[in-house]
Amino acid sequence: MGSGDDASLRRAGAALARASRGLERVVSAVTADAGPTGVHAFVEGYLLAAYRQQRRGRPADAAARASDAPAEQLVLLTPDGRPDPEPAIEAARRGARATWLVRDLANAPADVKGPQWLADRARQLGEEHGLDVEVRGPRELAADGFGALLAVGAGSARPPRLVTVSYDPREHGVLPAGTPARHVVLVGKGITYDTGGLSIKPREAMVPMKTDMAGAAVALAVVLGAAQARLDRRVTAVLPLAENHVGAASYRPGDVLRTFSGRTVEVANTDAEGRLVLADALASP
């Protein structure tokens, strides 16, 4: 437990998760004297360390899978008279679930994770939480003038998408209808794979490029977390999704693109695709 501060409790939770894989139940008194922030840190550390990456390959032996699985239950012993730890535990669960979602999406292989796949996942998750989801496909993007996002995705056989996921506390009964609510907007880069385009990346740099959509995954996880927490703020996530590939229709260094805002951009390097898709997304209504 180290000094017993929040950072030490977070590390202790993670250590317990790693040491207790394969067990049915883990009972701990580590947080018996901790306040709400300490309980939150311990549980969140435990849950994040318990994460297992999703596998696509041949299933391993059942016994091996079970021995690597996190414990089915974590029981915290709390003395009488201490504050109820449940609100802190639930907050830790929300944070861990959001992180698990981002890890799952970022770890998904690029042959599966195209712009349409990620847009479908955002729609499914958003609708499960009662959120408003809008998905613009190539036809809508062209009609509305999203020239930068379309250019970045032009070299791929899987065309781009622009996804907007919105949470409004007035629609979820958190605030009365008509009550002003501060609006927070998050825009996350969603390049599901990035070769660098015609300004092609070195081989080693391409290996992790399935994760170039992590910004969009984080923005999506935040708006879902806002709905789960029933925040009193409006939260909107804008996800520009594209693959930056090499192809006959790829955009080129020297091309001049017109973004949604009406501004033009001269391309100097096609591996600077992130700022192009973000320019269109930041200006979108």
Short mmCIF file of all heavy atoms in Angstrom, two decimals, residues 164-218:
data_model
loop_
_atom_site.label_atom_id
_atom_site.label_comp_id
_atom_site.label_asym_id
_atom_site.label_seq_id
_atom_site.Cartn_x
_atom_site.Cartn_y
_atom_site.Cartn_z
N THR A 164 -21.70 12.04 -35.38
CA THR A 164 -21.96 12.95 -34.26
C THR A 164 -22.84 12.22 -33.25
O THR A 164 -23.91 11.72 -33.61
CB THR A 164 -22.66 14.23 -34.74
OG1 THR A 164 -21.88 14.85 -35.76
CG2 THR A 164 -22.82 15.21 -33.59
N VAL A 165 -22.36 12.15 -32.00
CA VAL A 165 -23.10 11.50 -30.92
C VAL A 165 -23.36 12.55 -29.85
O VAL A 165 -22.42 13.18 -29.35
CB VAL A 165 -22.31 10.32 -30.33
CG1 VAL A 165 -23.15 9.58 -29.29
CG2 VAL A 165 -21.86 9.35 -31.43
N SER A 166 -24.62 12.75 -29.48
CA SER A 166 -24.99 13.87 -28.60
C SER A 166 -25.79 13.39 -27.39
O SER A 166 -26.73 12.59 -27.52
CB SER A 166 -25.82 14.90 -29.36
OG SER A 166 -25.11 15.40 -30.48
N TYR A 167 -25.40 13.92 -26.22
CA TYR A 167 -26.13 13.71 -24.97
C TYR A 167 -26.67 15.06 -24.50
O TYR A 167 -25.92 16.03 -24.41
CB TYR A 167 -25.20 13.12 -23.91
CG TYR A 167 -25.72 13.28 -22.49
CD1 TYR A 167 -26.75 12.47 -22.02
CD2 TYR A 167 -25.18 14.22 -21.63
CE1 TYR A 167 -27.24 12.61 -20.72
CE2 TYR A 167 -25.65 14.37 -20.33
CZ TYR A 167 -26.68 13.57 -19.88
OH TYR A 167 -27.15 13.71 -18.60
N ASP A 168 -27.97 15.11 -24.21
CA ASP A 168 -28.61 16.32 -23.71
C ASP A 168 -29.31 15.99 -22.40
O ASP A 168 -30.25 15.17 -22.39
CB ASP A 168 -29.62 16.85 -24.74
CG ASP A 168 -30.13 18.25 -24.39
OD1 ASP A 168 -30.20 18.57 -23.19
OD2 ASP A 168 -30.45 19.00 -25.32
N PRO A 169 -28.88 16.57 -21.29
CA PRO A 169 -29.49 16.21 -19.99
C PRO A 169 -30.98 16.53 -19.91
O PRO A 169 -31.71 15.91 -19.15
CB PRO A 169 -28.69 17.05 -18.98
CG PRO A 169 -28.11 18.19 -19.79
CD PRO A 169 -27.85 17.61 -21.14
N ARG A 170 -31.45 17.47 -20.74
CA ARG A 170 -32.87 17.81 -20.73
C ARG A 170 -33.71 16.71 -21.34
O ARG A 170 -34.88 16.53 -20.99
CB ARG A 170 -33.08 19.14 -21.46
CG ARG A 170 -32.43 20.32 -20.74
CD ARG A 170 -32.28 21.53 -21.61
NE ARG A 170 -31.38 21.29 -22.72
CZ ARG A 170 -30.86 22.26 -23.47
NH1 ARG A 170 -31.14 23.53 -23.20
NH2 ARG A 170 -30.05 21.97 -24.47
N GLU A 171 -33.11 15.95 -22.26
CA GLU A 171 -33.84 14.85 -22.88
C GLU A 171 -33.82 13.58 -22.02
O GLU A 171 -34.54 12.63 -22.30
CB GLU A 171 -33.25 14.54 -24.25
CG GLU A 171 -33.41 15.68 -25.26
CD GLU A 171 -32.77 15.36 -26.59
OE1 GLU A 171 -32.18 14.26 -26.72
OE2 GLU A 171 -32.84 16.21 -27.51
N HIS A 172 -32.97 13.59 -20.99
CA HIS A 172 -32.84 12.42 -20.12
C HIS A 172 -33.40 12.68 -18.72
O HIS A 172 -33.15 11.90 -17.80
CB HIS A 172 -31.37 11.99 -20.03
CG HIS A 172 -30.85 11.40 -21.31
ND1 HIS A 172 -30.64 10.05 -21.48
CD2 HIS A 172 -30.53 11.98 -22.50
CE1 HIS A 172 -30.19 9.83 -22.72
NE2 HIS A 172 -30.12 10.99 -23.35
N GLY A 173 -34.14 13.78 -18.57
CA GLY A 173 -34.78 14.07 -17.29
C GLY A 173 -33.85 14.57 -16.21
O GLY A 173 -34.25 14.65 -15.03
N VAL A 174 -32.61 14.91 -16.56
CA VAL A 174 -31.67 15.43 -15.58
C VAL A 174 -31.97 16.90 -15.30
O VAL A 174 -31.87 17.36 -14.16
CB VAL A 174 -30.22 15.25 -16.06
CG1 VAL A 174 -29.23 15.82 -15.05
CG2 VAL A 174 -29.93 13.77 -16.30
N LEU A 175 -32.32 17.65 -16.33
CA LEU A 175 -32.69 19.06 -16.21
C LEU A 175 -34.08 19.25 -16.82
O LEU A 175 -34.44 18.55 -17.77
CB LEU A 175 -31.69 19.95 -16.96
CG LEU A 175 -30.26 20.02 -16.43
CD1 LEU A 175 -29.41 20.88 -17.36
CD2 LEU A 175 -30.23 20.57 -15.01
N PRO A 176 -34.85 20.20 -16.29
CA PRO A 176 -36.16 20.47 -16.90
C PRO A 176 -36.00 20.99 -18.32
O PRO A 176 -35.00 21.63 -18.65
CB PRO A 176 -36.75 21.55 -15.98
CG PRO A 176 -35.98 21.46 -14.70
CD PRO A 176 -34.61 20.99 -15.07
N ALA A 177 -36.97 20.72 -19.16
CA ALA A 177 -36.95 21.20 -20.54
C ALA A 177 -36.84 22.72 -20.54
O ALA A 177 -37.49 23.41 -19.75
CB ALA A 177 -38.20 20.75 -21.27
N GLY A 178 -36.01 23.24 -21.43
CA GLY A 178 -35.83 24.67 -21.54
C GLY A 178 -34.77 25.25 -20.63
O GLY A 178 -34.42 26.43 -20.76
N THR A 179 -34.23 24.45 -19.71
CA THR A 179 -33.17 24.93 -18.82
C THR A 179 -31.87 25.07 -19.59
O THR A 179 -31.48 24.15 -20.31
CB THR A 179 -32.97 23.96 -17.65
OG1 THR A 179 -34.20 23.79 -16.97
CG2 THR A 179 -31.90 24.48 -16.69
N PRO A 180 -31.17 26.21 -19.47
CA PRO A 180 -29.87 26.33 -20.15
C PRO A 180 -28.89 25.27 -19.63
O PRO A 180 -28.86 24.96 -18.44
CB PRO A 180 -29.40 27.74 -19.78
CG PRO A 180 -30.63 28.47 -19.35
CD PRO A 180 -31.52 27.45 -18.74
N ALA A 181 -28.09 24.72 -20.54
CA ALA A 181 -27.09 23.72 -20.16
C ALA A 181 -25.80 24.02 -20.92
O ALA A 181 -25.83 24.22 -22.14
CB ALA A 181 -27.58 22.31 -20.49
N ARG A 182 -24.71 24.10 -20.19
CA ARG A 182 -23.43 24.32 -20.85
C ARG A 182 -23.15 23.17 -21.81
O ARG A 182 -23.41 22.02 -21.50
CB ARG A 182 -22.32 24.40 -19.80
CG ARG A 182 -20.96 24.70 -20.38
CD ARG A 182 -19.89 24.75 -19.31
NE ARG A 182 -18.57 24.91 -19.89
CZ ARG A 182 -17.44 24.81 -19.21
NH1 ARG A 182 -17.47 24.56 -17.91
NH2 ARG A 182 -16.28 24.96 -19.81
N HIS A 183 -22.60 23.51 -22.98
CA HIS A 183 -22.38 22.52 -24.03
C HIS A 183 -20.89 22.27 -24.20
O HIS A 183 -20.12 23.18 -24.49
CB HIS A 183 -22.98 23.03 -25.35
CG HIS A 183 -23.07 21.98 -26.42
ND1 HIS A 183 -23.42 22.26 -27.71
CD2 HIS A 183 -22.85 20.63 -26.38
CE1 HIS A 183 -23.42 21.14 -28.43
NE2 HIS A 183 -23.08 20.15 -27.63
N VAL A 184 -20.48 21.03 -24.02
CA VAL A 184 -19.09 20.61 -24.19
C VAL A 184 -19.01 19.76 -25.45
O VAL A 184 -19.76 18.79 -25.59
CB VAL A 184 -18.58 19.82 -22.97
CG1 VAL A 184 -17.15 19.35 -23.20
CG2 VAL A 184 -18.70 20.65 -21.71
N VAL A 185 -18.11 20.10 -26.36
CA VAL A 185 -17.96 19.37 -27.62
C VAL A 185 -16.55 18.79 -27.68
O VAL A 185 -15.57 19.50 -27.45
CB VAL A 185 -18.21 20.27 -28.84
CG1 VAL A 185 -18.06 19.48 -30.14
CG2 VAL A 185 -19.61 20.90 -28.76
N LEU A 186 -16.46 17.50 -27.99
CA LEU A 186 -15.17 16.84 -28.16
C LEU A 186 -15.04 16.36 -29.59
O LEU A 186 -15.97 15.76 -30.13
CB LEU A 186 -15.05 15.64 -27.21
CG LEU A 186 -15.20 15.94 -25.72
CD1 LEU A 186 -16.60 15.58 -25.26
CD2 LEU A 186 -14.18 15.17 -24.90
N VAL A 187 -13.90 16.61 -30.19
CA VAL A 187 -13.63 16.17 -31.56
C VAL A 187 -12.41 15.27 -31.52
O VAL A 187 -11.36 15.67 -31.01
CB VAL A 187 -13.39 17.36 -32.51
CG1 VAL A 187 -13.15 16.87 -33.93
CG2 VAL A 187 -14.57 18.32 -32.46
N GLY A 188 -12.54 14.04 -32.03
CA GLY A 188 -11.44 13.08 -31.95
C GLY A 188 -11.04 12.54 -33.31
O GLY A 188 -11.89 12.14 -34.10
N LYS A 189 -9.76 12.52 -33.56
CA LYS A 189 -9.23 12.00 -34.82
C LYS A 189 -9.57 10.52 -34.96
O LYS A 189 -9.29 9.72 -34.06
CB LYS A 189 -7.71 12.20 -34.85
CG LYS A 189 -7.02 11.65 -36.08
CD LYS A 189 -5.50 11.86 -35.95
CE LYS A 189 -4.73 11.24 -37.10
NZ LYS A 189 -3.26 11.37 -36.91
N GLY A 190 -10.13 10.14 -36.12
CA GLY A 190 -10.58 8.77 -36.32
C GLY A 190 -10.01 8.14 -37.58
O GLY A 190 -10.78 7.65 -38.42
N ILE A 191 -8.70 8.12 -37.71
CA ILE A 191 -8.06 7.48 -38.86
C ILE A 191 -7.90 5.99 -38.54
O ILE A 191 -7.04 5.60 -37.74
CB ILE A 191 -6.71 8.13 -39.19
CG1 ILE A 191 -6.87 9.62 -39.43
CG2 ILE A 191 -6.07 7.45 -40.40
CD1 ILE A 191 -7.78 9.98 -40.59
N THR A 192 -8.75 5.17 -39.14
CA THR A 192 -8.78 3.75 -38.77
C THR A 192 -7.54 3.00 -39.24
O THR A 192 -7.23 1.93 -38.72
CB THR A 192 -10.04 3.08 -39.30
OG1 THR A 192 -10.11 3.23 -40.72
CG2 THR A 192 -11.28 3.69 -38.67
N TYR A 193 -6.86 3.51 -40.26
CA TYR A 193 -5.51 3.03 -40.59
C TYR A 193 -4.82 4.13 -41.40
O TYR A 193 -5.46 4.80 -42.21
CB TYR A 193 -5.51 1.73 -41.40
CG TYR A 193 -4.12 1.15 -41.47
CD1 TYR A 193 -3.58 0.49 -40.38
CD2 TYR A 193 -3.32 1.31 -42.60
CE1 TYR A 193 -2.29 -0.01 -40.41
CE2 TYR A 193 -2.03 0.81 -42.63
CZ TYR A 193 -1.53 0.16 -41.54
OH TYR A 193 -0.24 -0.32 -41.57
N ASP A 194 -3.53 4.30 -41.14
CA ASP A 194 -2.79 5.41 -41.75
C ASP A 194 -1.49 4.92 -42.36
O ASP A 194 -0.52 4.65 -41.67
CB ASP A 194 -2.50 6.48 -40.69
CG ASP A 194 -1.74 7.67 -41.25
OD1 ASP A 194 -1.78 7.86 -42.48
OD2 ASP A 194 -1.13 8.40 -40.46
N THR A 195 -1.48 4.80 -43.68
CA THR A 195 -0.22 4.47 -44.38
C THR A 195 0.66 5.70 -44.57
O THR A 195 1.82 5.58 -44.96
CB THR A 195 -0.51 3.91 -45.77
OG1 THR A 195 -1.08 4.95 -46.59
CG2 THR A 195 -1.45 2.72 -45.73
N GLY A 196 0.09 6.87 -44.31
CA GLY A 196 0.76 8.11 -44.65
C GLY A 196 0.34 8.63 -46.01
O GLY A 196 0.78 9.69 -46.44
N GLY A 197 -0.52 7.87 -46.69
CA GLY A 197 -0.91 8.28 -48.04
C GLY A 197 0.27 8.18 -48.99
O GLY A 197 1.16 7.34 -48.82
N LEU A 198 0.32 9.06 -49.98
CA LEU A 198 1.43 9.04 -50.93
C LEU A 198 2.75 9.44 -50.28
O LEU A 198 3.82 9.07 -50.77
CB LEU A 198 1.12 9.95 -52.12
CG LEU A 198 -0.06 9.51 -53.00
CD1 LEU A 198 -0.25 10.47 -54.15
CD2 LEU A 198 0.13 8.09 -53.53
N SER A 199 2.69 10.19 -49.18
CA SER A 199 3.90 10.49 -48.40
C SER A 199 4.09 9.33 -47.42
O SER A 199 3.98 9.47 -46.20
CB SER A 199 3.74 11.81 -47.65
OG SER A 199 3.42 12.86 -48.54
N ILE A 200 4.38 8.18 -47.95
CA ILE A 200 4.22 6.91 -47.25
C ILE A 200 5.12 6.81 -46.03
O ILE A 200 6.26 7.30 -46.02
CB ILE A 200 4.47 5.74 -48.23
CG1 ILE A 200 3.90 4.45 -47.70
CG2 ILE A 200 5.94 5.64 -48.59
CD1 ILE A 200 3.74 3.38 -48.77
N LYS A 201 4.62 6.19 -44.98
CA LYS A 201 5.37 6.03 -43.74
C LYS A 201 6.44 4.95 -43.88
O LYS A 201 6.29 4.04 -44.69
CB LYS A 201 4.43 5.60 -42.60
CG LYS A 201 3.48 6.65 -42.09
CD LYS A 201 2.64 6.07 -40.96
CE LYS A 201 1.67 7.10 -40.41
NZ LYS A 201 2.35 8.16 -39.67
N PRO A 202 7.50 5.00 -43.06
CA PRO A 202 8.41 3.86 -42.97
C PRO A 202 7.67 2.63 -42.45
O PRO A 202 6.65 2.74 -41.76
CB PRO A 202 9.47 4.32 -41.96
CG PRO A 202 9.33 5.80 -41.88
CD PRO A 202 7.90 6.11 -42.20
N ARG A 203 8.18 1.45 -42.79
CA ARG A 203 7.48 0.21 -42.43
C ARG A 203 7.22 0.11 -40.94
O ARG A 203 6.10 -0.22 -40.51
CB ARG A 203 8.32 -0.99 -42.88
CG ARG A 203 7.68 -2.34 -42.56
CD ARG A 203 8.58 -3.47 -42.97
NE ARG A 203 9.82 -3.48 -42.22
CZ ARG A 203 9.94 -4.00 -40.98
NH1 ARG A 203 8.90 -4.54 -40.39
NH2 ARG A 203 11.08 -3.97 -40.35
N GLU A 204 8.22 0.40 -40.11
CA GLU A 204 8.06 0.24 -38.67
C GLU A 204 6.97 1.15 -38.12
O GLU A 204 6.23 0.80 -37.19
CB GLU A 204 9.38 0.52 -37.94
CG GLU A 204 10.48 -0.48 -38.23
CD GLU A 204 11.20 -0.19 -39.56
OE1 GLU A 204 10.86 0.83 -40.20
OE2 GLU A 204 12.07 -0.99 -39.94
N ALA A 205 6.87 2.35 -38.71
CA ALA A 205 5.88 3.31 -38.21
C ALA A 205 4.46 2.92 -38.57
O ALA A 205 3.51 3.40 -37.96
CB ALA A 205 6.20 4.71 -38.76
N MET A 206 4.28 2.04 -39.56
CA MET A 206 2.93 1.64 -39.95
C MET A 206 2.33 0.60 -39.02
O MET A 206 1.11 0.48 -38.95
CB MET A 206 2.96 1.05 -41.37
CG MET A 206 2.89 2.09 -42.45
SD MET A 206 2.41 1.30 -43.98
CE MET A 206 3.35 2.28 -45.13
N VAL A 207 3.16 -0.13 -38.30
CA VAL A 207 2.67 -1.26 -37.51
C VAL A 207 1.58 -0.84 -36.52
O VAL A 207 0.54 -1.50 -36.43
CB VAL A 207 3.83 -1.97 -36.80
CG1 VAL A 207 3.31 -3.04 -35.84
CG2 VAL A 207 4.78 -2.58 -37.82
N PRO A 208 1.73 0.26 -35.77
CA PRO A 208 0.69 0.61 -34.79
C PRO A 208 -0.41 1.50 -35.35
O PRO A 208 -1.22 2.02 -34.57
CB PRO A 208 1.49 1.36 -33.72
CG PRO A 208 2.56 2.06 -34.49
CD PRO A 208 2.92 1.13 -35.61
N MET A 209 -0.46 1.69 -36.66
CA MET A 209 -1.36 2.70 -37.21
C MET A 209 -2.84 2.33 -37.17
O MET A 209 -3.70 3.13 -37.52
CB MET A 209 -0.95 3.08 -38.63
CG MET A 209 0.24 4.02 -38.67
SD MET A 209 -0.08 5.60 -37.83
CE MET A 209 0.81 5.39 -36.29
N LYS A 210 -3.16 1.11 -36.74
CA LYS A 210 -4.57 0.78 -36.48
C LYS A 210 -5.10 1.57 -35.29
O LYS A 210 -6.32 1.66 -35.09
CB LYS A 210 -4.73 -0.71 -36.21
CG LYS A 210 -4.09 -1.18 -34.90
CD LYS A 210 -4.30 -2.66 -34.67
CE LYS A 210 -3.72 -3.09 -33.32
NZ LYS A 210 -3.93 -4.54 -33.08
N THR A 211 -4.20 2.16 -34.50
CA THR A 211 -4.62 2.91 -33.31
C THR A 211 -4.75 4.41 -33.59
O THR A 211 -4.97 5.18 -32.67
CB THR A 211 -3.61 2.72 -32.17
OG1 THR A 211 -2.35 3.32 -32.53
CG2 THR A 211 -3.39 1.26 -31.86
N ASP A 212 -4.65 4.82 -34.86
CA ASP A 212 -4.70 6.25 -35.17
C ASP A 212 -6.11 6.81 -35.04
O ASP A 212 -6.34 7.98 -35.35
CB ASP A 212 -4.16 6.50 -36.59
CG ASP A 212 -3.46 7.83 -36.71
OD1 ASP A 212 -3.10 8.41 -35.68
OD2 ASP A 212 -3.28 8.31 -37.85
N MET A 213 -7.04 5.98 -34.57
CA MET A 213 -8.41 6.42 -34.32
C MET A 213 -8.70 6.52 -32.83
O MET A 213 -9.86 6.68 -32.41
CB MET A 213 -9.41 5.45 -34.96
CG MET A 213 -9.07 3.96 -34.90
SD MET A 213 -8.75 3.29 -33.24
CE MET A 213 -10.38 3.47 -32.51
N ALA A 214 -7.66 6.47 -32.00
CA ALA A 214 -7.87 6.47 -30.55
C ALA A 214 -8.52 7.76 -30.07
O ALA A 214 -9.29 7.75 -29.10
CB ALA A 214 -6.55 6.23 -29.82
N GLY A 215 -8.25 8.88 -30.73
CA GLY A 215 -8.89 10.13 -30.33
C GLY A 215 -10.39 10.06 -30.48
O GLY A 215 -11.15 10.51 -29.60
N ALA A 216 -10.86 9.49 -31.59
CA ALA A 216 -12.30 9.32 -31.79
C ALA A 216 -12.88 8.36 -30.75
O ALA A 216 -13.99 8.57 -30.25
CB ALA A 216 -12.58 8.81 -33.20
N ALA A 217 -12.14 7.31 -30.42
CA ALA A 217 -12.61 6.35 -29.42
C ALA A 217 -12.77 7.02 -28.06
O ALA A 217 -13.74 6.78 -27.33
CB ALA A 217 -11.65 5.16 -29.33
N VAL A 218 -11.82 7.89 -27.70
CA VAL A 218 -11.91 8.61 -26.42
C VAL A 218 -13.11 9.54 -26.41
O VAL A 218 -13.87 9.60 -25.43
CB VAL A 218 -10.61 9.38 -26.15
CG1 VAL A 218 -10.78 10.33 -24.96
CG2 VAL A 218 -9.46 8.42 -25.88
#
